[in-house]
Amino acid sequence: GAVVSQHPSRVICKSGTSVKIECRSLDFQATTMFWYRQFPKQSLMLMATSNEGSKATYEQGVEKDKFLINHASLTLSTLTVTSAHPEDSSFYICSAEDIEFSGNTIYFGEGSWLTVV
Amino acid sequence: GENVEQHPSTLSVQEGDSAVIKCTYSDSASNYFPWYKQELGKGPQLIIDIRSNVGEKKDQRIAVTLNKTAKHFSLHITETQPEDSAVYFCAAMDNQFYFGTGTSLTVIP
């Protein structure tokens, strides 16, 4: 099946710094990518929908100035956590939408563990 | 908007037995229903999906059934193995993607 690559898989950063997470669709073009946050033993929480060439759509309660999303190409979306704080520590997951003849399919990346110290 | 409910939240089965996880949805416009398996510390992996024009789909030990009239769909895993132990999420999609709350499946050797 289609592959979505997410990098880095783990990152530790100091409080106040910014961290960038990349999401790439490796064998298909994704006009739409999604960013999720997941807390332990909970379901995925949608943060924002990223559309190639346009501004991301953020879910209610998600600070767009803190979680910067850029979808500059059909295969790459990035999430930048700005001025990170310990409460931003979490598991961040991206997904990409593959538009196939039979319909759309969503594939997920492997996730990125962010620890802010 | 859509509301997806998933049951049970935890499920333990003996190795070799079958496991069934059920989801219900509220929006009749939803037309795509994937199932994901998430192992500890990893991203969700698509294991099977079904679209609204199909009632059942099978892939080896995994099958999914869809009842559009009742707005529910189920994941069936037969001959379970310890490596099937994971958290399973259902989802429903119309224009947006809605996850169920997850089922933690434990297969006891």
Side-chain angles (χ1 to χ4, degrees):
Chain A
V3 177
V4 175
S5 173
Q6 198 170 330
H7 178 81
S9 58
R10 289 182 181 274
V11 58
I12 300 173
C13 72
K14 290 184 178 181
S15 187
T17 62
S18 296
V19 175
K20 181 185 287 187
I21 301 170
E22 294 186 346
C23 180
R24 294 181 184 273
S25 57
L26 296 186
D27 53 359
F28 65 98
Q29 293 183 331
T31 55
T32 304
M33 291 184 173
F34 305 88
W35 286 97
Y36 295 84
R37 185 173 181 177
Q38 188 177 32
F39 294 101
K41 299 185 178 180
Q42 293 189 24
S43 188
L44 287 79
M45 181 187 76
L46 179 64
M47 298 174 65
T49 301
S50 168
N51 294 294
E52 187 269 337
S54 64
K55 291 183 179 180
T57 302
Y58 289 81
E59 295 299 302
Q60 191 173 8
V62 178
E63 300 177 58
K64 62 181 180 181
D65 294 330
K66 180 168 185 61
F67 299 99
L68 299 179
I69 291 173
N70 183 284
H71 194 157
S73 77
L74 288 172
T75 59
L76 174 65
S77 176
T78 60
L79 168 67
T80 301
V81 182
T82 63
S83 187
H85 290 284
E87 55 265 32
D88 298 326
S89 299
S90 189
F91 191 49
Y92 293 89
I93 308 172
C94 72
S95 68
E97 185 173 15
D98 185 9
I99 301 175
E100 303 167 309
F101 179 77
S102 59
N104 299 358
T105 303
I106 305 290
Y107 297 97
F108 284 84
E110 282 295 308
S112 298
W113 286 100
L114 169 63
T115 302
V116 184
V117 297
Chain B
E2 178 63 277
N3 180 38
V4 179
E5 295 188 359
Q6 184 171 345
H7 299 281
S9 56
T10 59
L11 178 61
S12 293
V13 299
Q14 290 292 136
E15 180 177 0
D17 288 349
S18 295
V20 180
I21 303 171
K22 298 181 179 180
C23 285
T24 60
Y25 63 100
S26 59
D27 188 352
S28 57
S30 292
N31 54 24
Y32 175 58
F33 307 92
W35 286 90
Y36 293 89
K37 174 184 180 183
Q38 187 176 24
E39 298 177 338
L40 191 64
K42 297 184 178 180
Q45 178 187 14
L46 178 67
I47 56 172
I48 196 167
D49 57 9
I50 192 168
R51 300 188 190 273
S52 58
N53 57 347
V54 176
E56 184 174 358
K57 185 176 178 181
K58 189 174 181 179
D59 182 4
Q60 299 182 337
R61 296 187 296 109
I62 296 173
V64 56
T65 58
L66 171 64
N67 184 325
K68 285 200 66 181
T69 303
K71 296 194 186 70
H72 66 71
F73 55 111
S74 300
L75 176 71
H76 304 253
I77 306 174
T78 59
E79 301 173 32
T80 54
Q81 301 167 3
E83 50 266 37
D84 294 330
S85 297
V87 177
Y88 291 81
F89 291 99
C90 66
M93 182 173 181
D94 48 19
N95 294 319
Q96 293 190 49
F97 204 63
Y98 300 89
F99 276 101
T101 49
T103 297
S104 178
L105 172 65
T106 302
V107 179
I108 304 167

